[in-house]
Amino acid sequence: MQKSYKTIESVVGPLMLVRDVEGVTYNETVEIEQKNGETRHGKVLEVRDDTALVQLFASAQGLKISESKAKFLGRGLEFGVSPDIVGRFFDGMGRPRDNGPSIIPEKRMDINGTPLNPTARHYPSAFIQTGISTIDGLNTLVRGQKLPIFSMSGLPHARLATQIARQASVGDGEKFAVVFAAMGITNDEADFFIKEFERTGALAHSVVFINLASDPTLERIATPRMALTAAEYLAFELDMHVLVIMTDITLYAEALREVSAARKEVPGRRGYPGYLYTDLATLYERAGCIKGKKGTITQIPILTMPEDDKTHPIPDLTGYITEGQIALSRDLDKKALTPPVDILPSLSRLKDKGIGKGKTRHDHSDVLNQLFAAYATGKDAKELAQILGESALSPVDKLYAHFADEFEKKFINQGFYTNRTIIETLDLGWELLRILPRTELKRIRQSNLDEFYTVKEEVK
Amino acid sequence: MAEKKTTKPATKVSSTGKAETESSKIAGRIIKVSGPLIVADGMADVKMFDVVRVSSEGLIGEILELRGDRASIQVYEETGGIGVGDVVVSTEMPLSVELAPGMMGGIYDGIGRPLDIIREQTGDRISRGVNVPGVNREKKWEFKATKKVGDMVIVGDVIGVVQENEVVEHRIMVPQGCGGKITKISNGNFTIIDNVAEIQTDKGKVNIQMLQKWPVRIPRPIREKLPPSTPLLTGQRVIDTFFPIARGGVAAIPGPFGSGKTVVQHQIAKWSDAEIVVYIGCGERGNEMTDVLSEFPHLQDIRTGFPLMKRTILIANTSDMPVAAREASIYTGITIAEYFRDMGYNVAVMADSTSRWAEALREMSGRLEQLPGEEGYPAYLASRLADFYERAGMASILGSEERTGSVTAIGAVSPPGGDMSEPVSQATLRIVKVFWGLSSSLAYKRHFPAIDWLISYSLYADNMGEWYSKNIDKNFLNMRQMSIKIMQENANLEEIVRLVGVDSLSDSDRLLMETAKHIREDFLYQNAFSDIDSYTSPNKQFKILKTILDYHTLGTRAIANGKDFVRTQFPEIKEQIARFRDLEDKDLDKIDDIAKEIARKLS
């Protein structure tokens, strides 16, 4: 049932009001056709009596309301999927952006998705080796996890994300795909990602959605949903392990705020809408594993924290939804330690079920806890030394301070092109822990200390 | 896969039990749709908070406001594809939850529909308008009458029992308004909608079924509230010893993300000595519910030896599920908890997280165009929170016998940016008596549970003194007080060390800092993912703490008698103390041995 109306009453910012409509439903897609045949898209935000409030996905530039027609399509916004989408580029609204042939969709899927029944989920527990010590060893990523990168402007989050995509993709013989959604990033940054994918051959199994800084802001609200719809198709219908990289969530949230402000909604913190949590959750919760399905969706959203502030609503709400975070540090970056992962505020909530005997190695959990605790103590000791001088430290504290330095130099600083196996990472961890006396290693079980701490020492 | 908005579930599942008043005649038409809020006219005859069915798909909604014949309705399901003119039918019933044998081990959505059955019927994704009964109506249960014909019964009396599983005996109670003389009752196998008894009341004969319905927003009645005086033991050292919660108490766990709120809640759900656990996942991660669902059936309850799932009920409204049902989910959960309390059980109800519930309230309030209070939350936020927590408590329950039951409520709070000055945290703090404040600096050091001993408190400890001296040791409360004091003094000393270095401290201060380190690392730190350390019996807690404190007392005395600080420190013993937490309960003698050795060395 498609009806066209020439009764557009007003266009104010991203909102359009259409009068005298009939049978219009909430959330359905609207096509705005101009006399010259150009079309733009929108969706219904509210219907009240015979008026419909429509949010535009494109700028209203050049829209002449007296000559435009609003066509209500009777369905939500959709993305046409088929196996051919792999290796292709799309714009923020899911239209091909490369010069390839148009996609003949196998079927059209609503981009909003539907909530997954918690009883249908399969708890993610398959270890992914990213080859990065700070992630594999301390903040282990598992298949089906959503693990964002909390970055700051000017930090190399893009290089870290591509390193993960590059190093995590190899090895297990199963079907693998990368879905990349760019929201409002610069042409340079998008270019970096694409070049990187191209260079490593990942492009052949990637689906790329690009909304650049110069593209319409409001399209950004649809972009991640397009990408996740593609990911769900690849994962749950074509049995692929899909890695979804979304950047930058901060710019997405700003687009959301623009619409909210235009609707004069009561703002939550910092002017972001009160439903920002729910809205972000409908993106992030689309990661996961489903019982009886081979494919999985792992998400790595990237966000830059405004003013480097972790309590800003975007990182804050993200942290409450995602299963941990990889935090980057300006301090480490300045010291040229790469990738500059700050392990203390970083966390992977799903690591405990993804590590240990049969998955990584039985001492993993102990080593991880001890490395964290020792690094934290070492950092405290270094801070103390800075105020009072090295001599104020007790002998044990001096060892801790030394440990923290070595840890940063060897464990964190591996560079963007070193690929370490998990065993190499754990052995390196033990090598560093041996700086400390055995009595200090309280987080490690006796049996593991016997096996790894002393034995190796004798070999030396 | 994502279904199209316009497709409807293939088959409408008809309720196999009593028809859900589909015959009702009050029907209105939608005039406005705005997200989960719709407005319909022609609704003059409905009551506030009645449940309605929206559109031909039969979405479930609840009436929030009435203005003339216009009703504002919050819809518990996704409203995409709903438009002006769609029909709204009232069921003339408030939002109710079904209570009957068959609930244990189940997982329900925010409005009490079983999610596993929904999955069987509609697949991996949750579609709309599903109409399934809350409890299986076909399954037969063995009903054993505990009353006989001729007995006089009043509301709340148990007339029979059903052994629901190895762990839970489901007691069938006389429902509201049905007190009188039993005229029929029999043992046998019945479904929950079969008549199991007949009671002659003032208003005539009433048939009793095992199934009860109760409106979720109304607290179930009790005779009177009793002061909480027994601890709910959780096996978590920082909780049981430092900041205990009473049966029937209320506690809040606020903390920034990553500080371990959910792990603490899960640990309490696993190890607490409550007989029934209701876990409400309110606007949280889907995987967390899956975690419980996949782990609890395999974890043994240390008290019964049977899987934990047998005593657990889950309410799940994950963050991608419709926001309006989030508001209802905590009421659904606490109503179920009250129902089991009324049978005489000690129930623990966990809500993770009340902040998401408050946000759902805020979203609906915003769409209703109500005047916002602080940070956009409605002005009634505090009173709604208080209403919820007030439903917890130790109670003398209804019925002719003197019996007690309790509901212990533990709510997680997720303050934005970890800033506790926000309205939800503040409103919660005004109500709860136990506060487990989580701190991110502890979490960064991987000190878990990251309950910050400097800001947390429990107002129940003193009320429970009698229990502690009777069941653990008469000195227990003093030991607790002493430990808390040591930790506080340690914090001050740390300040000094930060300014002038450790050398400036006196020997006794250095000893205190060592003791505090033992308390922190060897007692308060607890690894939830270690088999033995995950749960610590009260006796073991007492022994570990006593050894550490005796060490401190003896050390202080030795220093006062002129011994050097360094000579009070024995690395091998200190290492042994660190291993205490991995001792099994049968090996606790080892702790005594070490204690003796300390005494020998320091005397």
Side-chain angles (χ1 to χ4, degrees):
Chain A
M1 185 179 62
Q2 293 183 359
K3 292 180 189 164
S4 289
Y5 296 92
K6 293 189 79 172
T7 47
I8 300 173
E9 189 184 80
S10 65
V11 178
V12 180
L15 301 179
M16 180 177 86
L17 208 63
V18 191
R19 286 247 174 252
D20 301 325
V21 295
E22 204 179 299
V24 171
T25 65
Y26 174 68
N27 222 358
E28 77 175 285
T29 307
V30 189
E31 255 177 30
I32 301 107
E33 239 172 85
Q34 288 204 259
K35 219 175 176 186
N36 61 9
E38 191 198 331
T39 58
R40 301 168 203 225
H41 286 91
K43 72 168 182 182
V44 176
L45 284 185
E46 189 177 304
V47 282
R48 188 193 290 244
D49 298 324
D50 59 352
T51 55
L53 181 68
V54 175
Q55 174 215 314
L56 299 175
F57 280 117
S59 113
Q61 177 80 46
L63 196 74
K64 191 170 180 188
I65 55 179
S66 60
E67 288 176 2
S68 302
K69 274 194 291 190
K71 190 153 103 187
F72 292 85
L73 304 183
R75 53 173 172 79
L77 207 54
E78 290 173 340
F79 178 63
V81 290
S82 93
D84 299 336
I85 60 173
V86 179
R88 297 293 303 270
F89 282 59
F90 298 90
D91 71 359
M93 291 295 286
R95 294 169 293 227
R97 197 187 170 105
D98 50 13
N99 296 323
S102 59
I103 304 281
I104 298 156
E106 196 174 77
K107 63 179 195 170
R108 305 192 66 84
M109 290 165 63
D110 191 300
I111 64 159
N112 289 310
T114 39
L116 194 54
N117 190 323
T119 60
R121 281 184 189 269
H122 177 76
Y123 195 77
S125 59
F127 169 71
I128 304 178
Q129 181 171 303
T130 64
I132 301 166
S133 291
T134 41
I135 296 178
D136 290 352
L138 302 176
N139 298 291
T140 318
L141 180 68
V142 300
R143 229 161 230 153
Q145 185 170 14
K146 37 196 180 290
L147 191 66
I149 296 175
F150 281 16
S151 186
M152 305 167 193
S153 43
L155 294 192
H157 47 258
R159 301 186 69 182
L160 178 62
T162 49
Q163 186 179 14
I164 295 172
R166 184 175 64 235
Q167 298 182 167
S169 59
V170 289
D172 71 356
E174 283 172 304
K175 286 195 281 180
F176 184 84
V178 175
V179 173
F180 178 68
M183 294 161 274
I185 62 173
T186 59
N187 196 41
D188 287 355
E189 204 174 345
D191 212 43
F192 170 80
F193 274 103
I194 290 156
K195 287 259 165 63
E196 219 18 57
F197 289 154
E198 219 162 28
R199 213 166 57 78
T200 56
L203 198 61
H205 38 96
S206 299
V207 189
V208 179
F209 293 83
I210 292 185
N211 167 280
L212 293 177
S214 53
D215 291 334
T217 319
L218 296 162
E219 253 182 46
R220 270 163 226 171
I221 295 174
T223 310
R225 296 190 163 80
M226 292 281 171
L228 287 164
T229 306
E232 281 172 353
Y233 170 75
L234 297 176
F236 303 130
E237 300 197 17
L238 302 184
D239 294 340
M240 291 180 171
H241 292 296
V242 184
L243 179 68
V244 183
I245 299 175
M246 302 191 284
T247 178
D248 180 326
I249 297 293
T250 307
L251 298 168
Y252 165 81
E254 275 166 9
L256 215 57
R257 176 166 70 177
E258 204 176 315
V259 176
S260 170
R263 292 190 67 187
K264 299 186 177 70
E265 289 170 334
V266 180
R269 280 201 310 151
R270 303 232 184 171
Y272 290 96
Y275 48 80
L276 183 61
Y277 176 85
T278 311
D279 189 277
L280 289 175
T282 55
L283 299 182
Y284 298 144
E285 280 290 312
R286 290 170 81 172
C289 315
I290 297 181
K291 283 179 192 158
K293 299 265 165 98
K294 276 197 206 134
T296 56
I297 297 179
T298 310
Q299 275 186 20
I300 302 191
I302 299 171
L303 57 90
T304 45
M305 297 186 276
E307 299 162 41
D308 301 359
D309 176 13
K310 208 178 128 188
T311 65
H312 185 280
I314 298 166
D316 188 51
L317 295 178
T318 297
Y320 276 121
I321 308 162
T322 54
E323 286 136 352
Q325 65 276 339
I326 302 291
L328 301 190
S329 143
R330 203 177 282 288
D331 186 41
L332 291 174
D333 188 52
K334 286 265 179 338
K335 288 196 230 163
L337 301 170
T338 52
V341 175
D342 190 357
I343 62 155
L344 296 182
S346 298
L347 169 74
S348 163
R349 291 164 189 274
L350 303 183
K351 64 176 187 296
D352 297 293
K353 303 242 159 100
I355 63 175
K357 213 173 163 184
K359 289 186 168 145
T360 54
R361 203 167 73 184
H362 58 276
D363 58 325
H364 192 157
S365 155
D366 286 2
V367 173
L368 170 160
N369 281 323
Q370 191 65 60
L371 284 173
F372 269 120
Y375 182 60
T377 315
K379 289 255 286 196
D380 282 353
K382 277 177 69 180
E383 214 171 279
L384 205 63
Q386 249 164 20
I387 305 169
L388 299 166
E390 192 91 11
S391 58
L393 296 183
S394 68
V396 175
D397 281 349
K398 275 184 194 142
L399 286 178
Y400 272 114
H402 175 57
F403 170 86
D405 284 332
E406 288 296 302
F407 180 83
E408 288 180 0
K409 252 185 272 168
K410 292 185 175 156
F411 199 87
I412 297 180
N413 185 29
Q414 69 175 98
F416 288 113
Y417 294 95
T418 310
N419 191 351
R420 290 185 189 148
T421 67
I422 181 64
I423 301 299
E424 283 169 348
T425 294
L426 291 176
D427 287 346
L428 181 59
W430 276 107
E431 189 189 316
L432 294 166
L433 287 175
R434 269 180 231 123
I435 293 173
L436 301 169
R438 185 175 162 144
T439 42
E440 285 297 314
L441 306 181
K442 291 182 176 181
R443 303 278 168 95
I444 300 183
R445 262 165 286 206
Q446 206 70 36
S447 56
N448 284 332
L449 279 175
D450 291 344
E451 189 178 345
F452 294 97
Y453 188 84
T454 21
V455 173
K456 296 278 168 67
E457 206 169 38
E458 280 159 15
V459 172
K460 269 191 218 164
Chain B
M1 277 316 349
E3 270 177 71
K4 275 187 209 165
K5 283 260 134 57
T6 43
T7 52
K8 290 165 195 169
T11 47
K12 230 11 135 31
V13 186
S14 61
S15 141
T16 42
K18 281 185 245 174
E20 280 225 12
T21 53
E22 302 282 16
S23 56
S24 160
K25 290 291 175 285
I26 304 175
R29 298 237 160 235
I30 295 178
I31 55 170
K32 176 185 167 184
V33 185
S34 168
L37 178 83
I38 62 168
V39 179
D41 64 6
M43 304 288 285
D45 293 328
V46 297
K47 296 190 294 293
M48 282 290 279
F49 292 108
D50 273 357
V51 169
V52 295
R53 291 287 187 155
V54 178
S55 90
S56 55
E57 288 187 52
L59 312 190
I60 297 173
E62 187 182 13
I63 293 172
L64 287 188
E65 277 184 3
L66 285 172
R67 282 196 181 89
D69 68 345
R70 285 192 175 185
S72 299
I73 295 158
Q74 72 171 341
V75 182
Y76 291 128
E77 299 178 77
E78 177 55 49
T79 50
I82 305 295
V84 169
D86 284 352
V87 69
V88 176
V89 181
S90 170
T91 63
E92 296 179 61
M93 289 259 297
L95 184 67
S96 303
V97 60
E98 297 198 337
L99 304 163
M103 296 162 71
M104 296 314 302
I107 175 165
Y108 297 88
D109 74 355
I111 50 175
R113 296 179 298 182
L115 281 166
D116 45 347
I117 308 294
I118 292 183
R119 176 165 178 241
E120 276 168 30
Q121 288 176 347
T122 66
D124 293 341
R125 306 266 165 186
I126 296 173
S127 42
R128 305 188 297 182
V130 183
N131 188 2
V132 291
V135 193
N136 186 325
R137 284 174 161 70
E138 270 120 59
K139 182 164 179 172
K140 290 207 167 183
W141 299 93
E142 192 189 346
F143 174 84
K144 283 194 198 118
T146 52
K147 298 276 179 203
K148 53 187 190 306
V149 173
D151 284 354
M152 291 298 293
V153 289
I154 62 171
V155 173
D157 274 342
V158 175
I159 55 167
V161 297
V162 166
Q163 195 66 38
E164 183 166 344
N165 60 34
E166 295 89 331
V167 182
V168 177
E169 179 191 73
H170 201 109
R171 297 163 192 157
I172 309 300
M173 296 167 287
V174 177
Q176 285 295 305
C178 297
K181 191 172 169 187
I182 295 181
T183 47
K184 261 190 219 163
I185 189 163
S186 50
N187 291 327
N189 289 317
F190 299 102
T191 70
I192 56 170
I193 45 170
D194 289 337
N195 295 333
V196 292
E198 187 188 72
I199 295 175
Q200 177 73 47
T201 70
D202 310 343
K203 299 175 204 101
K205 285 188 175 166
V206 184
N207 283 319
I208 307 292
Q209 296 96 28
M210 290 195 267
L211 175 68
Q212 288 196 22
K213 283 190 182 182
W214 192 267
V216 298
R217 292 184 195 280
I218 299 172
R220 286 175 63 90
I222 51 171
R223 195 186 289 166
E224 66 171 329
K225 270 203 173 179
L226 304 172
S229 59
T230 320
L232 182 82
L233 296 173
T234 62
Q236 309 304 301
R237 296 188 287 265
V238 62
I239 294 178
D240 290 353
T241 301
F242 269 48
F243 310 109
I245 179 162
R247 287 182 170 177
V250 286
I253 317 178
F257 65 84
S259 56
K261 284 183 297 295
T262 304
V263 177
V264 173
Q265 294 257 32
H266 279 200
Q267 285 296 93
I268 296 172
K270 275 180 202 166
W271 304 118
S272 76
D273 61 354
E275 286 139 336
I276 309 279
V277 172
V278 180
Y279 194 97
I280 309 166
C282 177
E284 289 291 306
R285 306 175 183 89
N287 277 333
E288 282 169 4
M289 299 318 286
T290 312
D291 188 20
V292 176
L293 275 177
S294 57
E295 196 181 13
F296 278 29
H298 305 292
L299 276 181
Q300 248 186 33
D301 185 344
I302 42 164
R303 286 168 196 86
T304 62
F306 289 103
L308 282 170
M309 206 62 208
K310 305 239 178 225
R311 67 161 192 184
T312 311
I313 295 174
L314 300 175
I315 312 289
N317 177 280
T318 58
S319 55
D320 55 342
M321 281 157 81
V323 68
R326 199 161 302 161
E327 195 268 333
S329 64
I330 70 164
Y331 296 106
T332 304
I334 199 137
T335 306
I336 293 173
E338 285 176 336
Y339 172 69
F340 283 98
R341 172 205 64 199
D342 291 347
M343 296 180 199
Y345 286 117
N346 294 300
V347 187
V349 52
M350 261 142 283
D352 185 12
S353 146
T354 54
S355 295
R356 305 298 161 227
W357 168 82
E359 280 167 10
L361 210 62
R362 172 170 72 183
E363 188 172 339
M364 290 316 296
S365 164
R367 291 193 193 266
L368 286 165
E369 289 161 14
Q370 292 167 339
L371 203 61
E374 221 179 323
E375 287 194 20
Y377 287 103
Y380 47 79
L381 170 71
S383 62
R384 290 277 175 92
L385 263 174
D387 286 348
F388 169 72
Y389 282 112
E390 269 305 292
R391 290 174 74 170
M394 172 63 82
S396 164
I397 53 180
L398 296 182
S400 36
E401 284 168 53
E402 193 65 47
R403 293 179 305 151
T404 60
S406 69
V407 172
T408 310
I410 299 165
V413 183
S414 319
D419 170 18
M420 299 279 298
S421 65
E422 56 95 36
V424 184
S425 305
Q426 285 304 311
T428 307
L429 284 183
R430 284 200 291 271
I431 307 158
V432 300
K433 298 255 169 43
V434 178
F435 170 71
W436 295 317
L438 300 174
S439 104
S440 48
S441 67
L442 287 176
Y444 287 175
K445 291 179 187 157
R446 297 306 188 262
H447 176 102
F448 288 114
I451 296 177
D452 189 340
W453 47 87
L454 297 175
I455 57 169
S456 303
Y457 57 79
S458 164
L459 302 180
Y460 294 116
D462 297 332
N463 290 352
M464 303 190 294
E466 200 182 322
W467 187 93
Y468 280 115
S469 37
K470 210 154 105 199
N471 293 280
I472 300 183
D473 192 274
K474 58 182 188 310
N475 264 329
F476 189 78
L477 280 190
N478 292 337
M479 279 169 50
R480 167 179 181 267
Q481 209 53 54
M482 180 175 165
S483 323
I484 293 177
K485 198 168 142 225
I486 288 175
M487 296 315 285
Q488 185 63 49
E489 281 174 12
N490 177 60
N492 300 339
L493 291 175
E494 273 176 354
E495 281 297 303
I496 296 174
V497 169
R498 217 166 285 143
L499 291 174
V500 291
V502 75
D503 290 336
S504 60
L505 292 185
S506 70
D507 275 7
S508 58
D509 284 346
R510 289 183 67 179
L511 179 74
L512 186 134
M513 287 194 76
E514 277 300 314
T515 306
K517 192 174 169 197
H518 277 301
I519 295 179
R520 187 176 67 236
E521 293 182 0
D522 306 330
F523 188 77
L524 297 177
Y525 169 80
Q526 190 166 1
N527 187 348
F529 300 98
S530 156
D531 296 340
I532 297 174
D533 200 21
S534 192
Y535 171 84
T536 310
S537 66
N539 187 28
K540 183 171 159 189
Q541 297 188 19
F542 169 73
K543 285 198 165 180
I544 299 178
L545 190 62
K546 186 167 188 316
T547 309
I548 295 173
L549 292 178
D550 284 354
Y551 188 5
H552 181 71
T553 315
L554 289 169
T556 313
R557 200 178 298 153
I559 287 172
N561 291 336
K563 210 169 196 172
D564 198 30
F565 161 73
V566 184
R567 302 205 31 217
T568 61
Q569 301 299 301
F570 317 110
E572 7 28 276
I573 288 195
K574 294 169 89 75
E575 199 191 335
Q576 291 296 323
I577 293 176
R579 308 286 170 208
F580 283 174
R581 60 166 180 267
D582 287 324
L583 289 177
E584 286 184 49
D585 270 22
K586 61 177 168 51
D587 298 328
L588 291 186
D589 297 348
K590 284 199 184 140
I591 299 184
D592 299 334
D593 295 344
I594 300 289
K596 274 182 211 137
E597 203 177 330
I598 295 172
R600 194 175 53 76
K601 288 199 168 189
L602 281 174
S603 58

